[in-house]
Amino acid sequence: MATDSTNEFDLGPLSWVQGEIDQALTRMDALVRTGYTPALYWRGVIYADQKDRGKAMLDLKYFLGVEHSGPDVESARSILTSLGVDPDAAGTPIP
């Protein structure tokens, strides 16, 4: 008798991960509101990891509009490229 293995997968031990991500995003939101631009980069990274392309793009494009050099800038450009977004395109969003 065949069994459906998708019903046997236990998400219980992984449920804490979403709570941790939500807490991190809440902290990043507070930092962004105070004008701490590196928080835009890190929030964009979290969104990209969660496959939320739109939010990742907005944060990373705005970050690139404020910051112009450094390792986070190169990383942001690389992430945008991996999302299919031209990091040099006009139209940097404003939060």
Side-chain angles (χ1 to χ4, degrees):
M1 178 172 142
T3 61
D4 184 3
S5 64
T6 59
N7 292 334
E8 296 174 17
F9 186 70
D10 181 15
L11 290 175
L14 299 176
S15 62
W16 67 272
V17 173
Q18 189 59 48
E20 293 290 319
I21 292 169
D22 291 343
Q23 287 178 5
L25 287 171
T26 298
R27 289 190 297 270
M28 292 297 120
D29 291 345
L31 289 169
V32 167
R33 282 193 300 276
T34 66
Y36 184 68
T37 57
L40 286 167
Y41 167 75
W42 288 108
R43 192 172 66 177
V45 169
I46 292 170
Y47 285 138
D49 286 345
Q50 289 189 311
K51 308 295 185 222
D52 193 336
R53 183 181 181 275
K55 289 180 180 177
M57 181 196 70
L58 289 174
D59 279 355
L60 294 172
K61 290 285 279 183
Y62 185 72
F63 173 76
L64 290 177
V66 177
E67 299 290 328
H68 303 289
S69 64
D72 289 345
V73 169
E74 294 308 312
S75 178
R77 295 175 64 76
S78 176
I79 293 167
L80 284 169
T81 300
S82 74
L83 294 172
V85 177
D86 180 0
D88 297 318
T92 301
I94 298 174

